[in-house]
Amino acid sequence: MQANQKLIIVLILFFLAFISTHAQENLTQTIKGKVVDNQTKQPLLGVNVLLLNSDPKVGTTTDENGNFRLEGISIGRISLAFTYLGYEDFVVSEILVGSAKEIDLAINLVEAFGLLDEVVITSKKDPRNPNNTIATVSARSFSVEETKRFPASISDPGRMALSFAGVTNSDDETNEIIIRGNAPNQLLWRIEGLEVPEPNHFSEEGYSPGAISMLNNNMLGRSDFFTGAFPANYGNALSGVFDINLRNGNADKQEYAFQFGVLGADLTAEGPFNKNSKSSYLINYRYSTLSLLNNIIEISEDGIPTYQDVSFKINIPLSKKTNLSIWGIGGISEDNKDEVEEDGFLENETFESKTYMSGLTLSHFLNKGEKLDARVSFSGNESDFEFAKKEIQTNENEGDSDFLRNNALRISLEYTKKLSPKTTIKSGATLSSLQYDVTTKELINSNSNTVVAENGNATMFQTFALAKHRFTKEFSTSFGLHATSFSVNKIFVIEPRLGFEYKAHPKHTLSAGFGIHSRRMPLNQYFVKVGNNTPNTNLDLMKATHYVLGYDWRLIKKGHLKLEIYYQNLTDLAVVKNPLITDSYVNGLFLNNQLSDSGKGRNYGLEITFEKFFANQYYFLTTTSIYDSQYKASDNNWYNSNYNYNYVFNLVGGKEFTIKKKNILGLNGKIIHNGGKRGTPLDANIFNQTGETIINQSLRNEIQFDSYVRLDISASYRVNRPKVSHIFSLDIQNTTNQDNVDGQFFNQKTGELLTSTQLGIVPFVNYKIEF
């Protein structure tokens, strides 16, 4: 606690020092971007771009490549309007313009049903609408600024998403994302259009999602997050989808950013390769500073987690119709704890992991309204984990180890055709070649048991076709099919998807979505040994049928009230085949058992979102989710899932203050409140008779611990100077030092059942300079 207090005091002193300073210069910046058709992404020539609330009026038009440029714009918050004959008007608001970096916007315009007789600068569009225009329900986009603004998000899109409706987590130390009561490992991650492993440090496929994101916000473009009934171009997902886009580097000038904080020191560089080309690069490198800080302030007596990562994107316009982009993200993590003595036991743990992903996208416009995207990627996760525990008095020992090597080569083609302003079709296919080498062992008193030992290759083939049709300006529908073939279990499934949207009034929108979705388990779960056999390779893909109804009301001018009700019918769930064991893979944990695909499940609930978009220097978002999540095990009885917290309430909001007309002070707060984690009591009869600590299978997840409550706050101060900006920030997670329950454990020495708690107060301090 003392170390945390010192860090907070130091940052507050920096805040005070910089707030007391100001510059007299009239600071300006360049705003540029590209305007494209929102369906085909084809550049639009001659779009009118107008800076709102400026006197005199400032504007320009786009060139043949859809590019525009406005120079000499005063720093601060600005709004732009885009108008184009035959397209709906669009306004992008509250863009933060700083003195160091140029603003580069990607604007998508929607083609109208008829020609516009006059230009009218209005927009009733929700700025949170997803980039994927096929989606009708349970979807929203998010910006890089939101990942910076939401308290304790520490620039991580996963932690930011915890404030959205239907989303929560169960562990302060990891990046778990629980959507509508589903396990975190039912979420699909995509980067630049292709599936990737969870992009987190300290991740272990099939066991843990990891703790710290490798997705540096300096690299991110506007991206999408889905919580149900997603369109047909997404496969291998049961709960939701994170669809991440990486931005292009500045193609006109060199720019840099350096930041130093508790979670890492990193450097970002971007710019053109040469003055005569529009090709650009963007690269970021980060190294963990936890070990560096430990030399100054004692953070931990045990081993200090370390990590580093690198990200890059290269964008090369080959011609007016063809573009090539190359990207990559890679990280290594290590968390080796020294041998410690606790309650009469010696414990030792080592963990190392590598996660890597890279890809290439070639985009080509065939004709007007036609686009072809070809993608290739290679990704994987490697992790080594060993744990050993020995009782000092008796020398009895136990332990386990996992050595996992998984990688995938993916090839994808996607075709988009706009038939008319009313109708757009998409189709595509992805072939994934999966390589694996997985070993899991258990050790009890020097007796080793091999749980998994398998290496080889597998393939997954996915294809889709979908269409969106706008019957009228108010009513549109989307429909499609997704098909999956998986070689391990020789399964082929077809998944229909359907969505509707009806704007009954400019302020009232009704929506609906339906879809069947499937997902495979991690490969090591299929190869669990039972005797000399691997019976789990015959398991079907787990499936979920999503039904969603939504209502959106523009209750306030720059905000909305949104309601969604949903029901998810889960089938072919992997459950332990032995009816005396009531566990299931829906609980999110690796199972050392023979499984059956006879399980069922159901998730249903109501979500309410009331949101004011950032405007007039403040915003707020409040969400309430009431839900139930259960599954049926092999004994034909229903049980709560591990993630059935029953309710989730989130409130996040913030206010900006302009200091000396140049600098910006931001204050934000967030409250998370959910029903509390689940637990299973011990079997009292067995313990009284034998002293063994075995859970009561018939009461699985019947215990619900005290509700989880957490208050996070953050403050940031941006100092703008000619061609350079300084940003100081402080995020405090669990500001009130709440003792939230993590779980129960049995103390073998004292014979007591004890409660463990999650993290206490955690400060995140950071300094960033842009130049």
Side-chain angles (χ1 to χ4, degrees):
M1 181 68 64
Q2 185 178 4
N4 294 344
Q5 291 173 343
K6 289 180 180 178
L7 291 173
I8 294 172
I9 291 171
V10 169
L11 192 70
I12 290 175
L13 292 176
F14 273 124
F15 268 47
L16 294 175
F18 271 87
I19 288 176
S20 64
T21 64
H22 71 281
Q24 299 296 328
E25 294 89 350
N26 180 27
L27 302 179
T28 63
Q29 188 54 270
T30 296
I31 301 173
K32 60 183 181 178
K34 187 170 187 175
V35 184
V36 299
D37 180 278
N38 80 318
Q39 297 288 359
T40 64
K41 309 306 177 186
Q42 200 152 17
L44 299 177
L45 167 66
V47 177
N48 296 303
V49 184
L50 180 66
L51 179 66
L52 299 181
N53 302 320
S54 63
D55 188 18
K57 297 295 183 182
V58 176
T60 186
T61 59
T62 58
D63 62 18
E64 59 183 359
N65 296 313
N67 296 320
F68 69 91
R69 187 179 183 89
L70 294 171
E71 297 181 342
I73 306 301
S74 297
I75 66 170
R77 295 279 180 182
I78 61 102
S79 299
L80 292 174
F82 298 84
T83 60
Y84 190 49
L85 191 65
Y87 280 75
E88 297 179 10
D89 299 348
F90 183 73
V91 174
V92 56
S93 303
E94 304 296 338
I95 305 166
L96 178 60
V97 181
S99 59
K101 298 177 69 68
E102 294 183 342
I103 302 300
D104 196 351
L105 302 174
I107 304 299
N108 297 272
L109 296 188
V110 178
E111 190 169 1
F113 279 86
L115 296 180
L116 301 178
D117 296 327
E118 60 178 310
V119 175
V120 181
I121 308 300
T122 59
S123 176
K124 295 185 173 63
K125 297 180 181 62
D126 186 339
R128 302 295 179 263
N129 284 343
N131 295 322
N132 189 321
T133 57
I134 305 298
T136 57
V137 294
S138 303
R140 65 174 288 156
S141 66
F142 62 90
S143 66
V144 175
E145 194 170 336
E146 286 176 292
T147 67
K148 300 176 183 177
R149 184 187 296 138
F150 285 17
S153 295
I154 53 176
S155 300
D156 178 350
R159 292 178 184 263
M160 175 211 62
L162 298 180
S163 299
F164 297 160
V167 185
T168 190
N169 72 338
S170 66
D171 188 348
D172 289 342
E173 296 186 41
T174 71
N175 275 16
E176 286 188 337
I177 301 174
I178 300 165
I179 300 174
R180 293 178 173 174
N182 291 284
N185 54 17
Q186 304 307 311
L187 171 68
L188 169 69
W189 286 89
R190 297 210 325 177
I191 295 180
E192 293 289 293
L194 284 176
E195 180 179 351
V196 296
E198 290 181 288
N200 296 320
H201 287 290
F202 309 105
S203 64
E204 190 178 16
E205 187 171 4
Y207 293 88
S208 171
I212 298 171
S213 177
M214 295 194 307
L215 295 172
N216 192 295
N217 70 338
N218 292 316
M219 301 289 299
L220 296 181
R222 195 164 190 89
S223 304
D224 287 346
F225 180 64
F226 299 82
T227 57
F230 17 93
N233 53 325
Y234 299 110
N236 196 31
L238 280 189
S239 65
V241 178
F242 246 122
D243 195 358
I244 302 294
N245 293 313
L246 304 178
R247 69 180 181 89
N248 295 331
N250 193 327
D252 296 316
K253 62 175 288 192
Q254 303 291 335
E255 294 181 335
Y256 306 93
F258 173 77
Q259 59 183 350
F260 180 88
V262 170
L263 291 181
D266 67 80
L267 175 66
T268 303
E270 61 182 293
F273 284 104
N274 59 67
K275 295 182 180 180
N276 300 321
S277 171
K278 284 298 181 181
S279 298
S280 65
Y281 73 90
L282 172 65
I283 186 167
N284 174 273
Y285 171 74
R286 176 172 57 170
Y287 179 76
S288 158
T289 55
L290 296 179
S291 57
L292 300 178
L293 288 174
N294 199 56
N295 295 326
I296 305 171
I297 303 172
E298 186 176 79
I299 298 173
S300 174
E301 295 179 356
D302 301 327
I304 301 299
T306 61
Y307 59 90
Q308 55 184 313
D309 55 59
V310 63
S311 308
F312 72 88
K313 184 177 182 183
I314 297 171
N315 189 66
I316 306 173
L318 299 177
S319 68
K320 293 181 181 179
K321 290 188 174 183
T322 308
N323 192 84
L324 173 67
S325 65
I326 305 169
W327 62 274
I329 300 174
I332 56 177
S333 321
E334 184 176 306
D335 187 7
N336 297 330
K337 297 181 180 179
D338 300 330
E339 189 173 63
V340 296
E341 180 180 349
E342 186 174 351
D343 297 327
F345 290 87
L346 286 176
E347 294 185 1
N348 185 64
E349 182 178 307
T350 62
F351 177 77
E352 297 178 359
S353 71
K354 298 178 182 178
T355 302
Y356 45 87
M357 53 202 77
S358 62
L360 178 152
T361 301
L362 183 66
S363 299
H364 180 69
F365 295 102
L366 301 172
N367 294 297
K368 185 177 180 180
E370 284 187 283
K371 185 186 180 186
L372 182 66
D373 292 303
R375 300 182 176 96
V376 178
S377 74
F378 182 76
S379 61
N381 177 272
E382 301 178 8
S383 59
D384 296 341
F385 171 79
E386 290 186 274
F387 173 77
K389 180 178 181 180
K390 182 176 70 173
E391 188 173 4
I392 298 174
Q393 190 172 9
T394 64
N395 278 329
E396 291 185 351
N397 61 81
E398 62 182 60
D400 57 270
S401 62
D402 302 303
F403 301 98
L404 309 176
R405 304 286 185 272
N406 294 286
N407 58 66
L409 174 66
R410 292 186 170 89
I411 301 174
S412 169
L413 286 175
E414 184 173 303
Y415 172 75
T416 303
K417 170 70 173 179
K418 180 190 278 191
L419 300 177
S420 70
K422 295 183 177 182
T423 307
T424 300
I425 60 173
K426 283 179 177 283
S427 61
T430 301
L431 176 64
S432 301
S433 174
L434 312 174
Q435 295 83 40
Y436 53 88
D437 186 355
V438 291
T439 302
T440 296
K441 293 184 178 180
E442 294 177 344
L443 180 68
I444 300 178
N445 293 328
S446 301
N447 295 318
S448 178
N449 174 39
T450 299
V451 179
V452 178
E454 197 78 24
N455 64 81
N457 299 276
T459 58
M460 174 175 275
F461 179 72
Q462 299 167 276
T463 185
F464 74 90
L466 59 83
K468 181 171 185 177
H469 182 72
R470 302 166 68 192
F471 290 94
T472 66
K473 188 176 181 179
E474 293 76 25
F475 179 64
S476 63
T477 182
S478 64
F479 50 94
L481 293 173
H482 186 100
T484 301
S485 175
F486 185 38
S487 67
V488 171
N489 52 15
K490 299 178 175 59
I491 294 296
F492 177 78
V493 296
I494 297 179
E495 306 162 8
R497 316 279 174 86
L498 186 63
F500 299 93
E501 185 177 77
Y502 176 59
K503 296 181 180 179
H505 182 273
K507 292 185 177 181
H508 302 279
T509 302
L510 302 174
S511 58
F514 161 83
I516 297 177
H517 310 274
S518 67
R519 183 167 174 84
R520 68 170 178 87
M521 297 183 295
L523 290 169
N524 55 320
Q525 185 67 80
Y526 288 100
F527 297 116
V528 168
K529 288 186 175 295
V530 179
N532 295 321
N533 300 316
T534 54
N536 293 341
T537 55
N538 295 320
L539 296 175
D540 205 340
L541 297 178
M542 295 185 297
K543 301 180 183 66
T545 304
H546 292 197
Y547 305 88
V548 184
L549 291 175
Y551 167 64
D552 192 284
W553 178 16
R554 276 301 183 96
L555 183 61
I556 56 179
K557 184 177 181 180
K558 294 188 177 182
H560 65 154
L561 176 70
K562 184 177 182 180
L563 285 79
E564 285 196 347
I565 58 173
Y566 66 89
Y567 181 84
Q568 298 176 353
N569 180 42
L570 282 65
T571 58
D572 299 319
L573 294 186
V575 295
V576 177
K577 189 172 185 179
N578 183 350
L580 299 178
I581 302 176
T582 57
D583 208 353
S584 168
Y585 190 72
V586 296
N587 289 323
L589 302 174
F590 176 81
L591 298 175
N592 177 19
N593 301 95
Q594 181 176 355
L595 305 179
S596 166
D597 54 19
S598 61
K600 296 182 179 180
R602 58 195 179 207
N603 304 323
Y604 54 90
L606 166 68
E607 297 171 357
I608 304 172
T609 298
F610 182 38
E611 179 176 18
K612 180 191 176 298
F613 311 133
F614 188 92
N616 301 319
Q617 292 192 300
Y618 78 99
Y619 74 97
F620 63 79
L621 168 65
T622 177
T623 65
T624 301
S625 305
I626 303 170
Y627 72 96
D628 194 57
S629 174
Q630 297 184 339
Y631 69 94
K632 187 168 75 171
S634 293
D635 64 354
N636 288 321
N637 291 318
W638 288 87
Y639 299 92
N640 294 304
S641 78
N642 278 6
Y643 309 102
N644 191 17
Y645 302 160
N646 296 128
Y647 68 88
V648 179
F649 172 78
N650 296 304
L651 172 62
V652 60
K655 171 71 175 174
E656 276 188 2
F657 303 89
T658 302
I659 310 295
K660 308 291 186 181
K661 297 183 180 181
K662 300 289 186 298
N663 306 330
I664 296 176
L665 172 67
L667 301 176
N668 303 277
K670 179 173 68 175
I671 296 174
I672 304 175
H673 184 194
N674 65 46
K677 298 181 73 170
R678 292 278 176 174
T680 304
L682 296 178
D683 192 314
N685 292 330
I686 293 179
F687 177 72
N688 292 333
Q689 294 174 12
T690 67
E692 293 185 78
T693 55
I694 299 175
I695 65 171
N696 189 328
Q697 295 286 342
S698 64
L699 297 177
R700 183 174 293 277
N701 292 330
E702 280 298 301
I703 298 175
Q704 187 162 23
F705 302 124
D706 294 340
S707 60
Y708 176 99
V709 181
R710 198 179 88 195
L711 170 65
D712 302 333
I713 62 173
S714 70
S716 65
Y717 191 63
R718 170 182 282 270
V719 181
N720 288 303
R721 295 290 182 266
K723 299 183 179 181
V724 63
S725 294
H726 306 270
I727 304 100
F728 292 86
S729 62
L730 167 65
D731 287 67
I732 304 178
Q733 178 176 297
N734 195 7
T735 308
T736 59
N737 204 29
Q738 179 82 15
D739 286 331
N740 290 306
V741 176
D742 185 49
Q744 290 182 334
F745 67 96
F746 186 78
N747 188 312
Q748 294 175 317
K749 187 176 181 180
T750 64
E752 296 178 293
L753 188 63
L754 303 176
T755 298
S756 61
T757 58
Q758 302 202 43
L759 294 178
I761 184 171
V762 181
F764 300 101
V765 294
N766 195 74
Y767 164 70
K768 181 178 182 180
I769 180 172
E770 299 175 344
F771 56 100

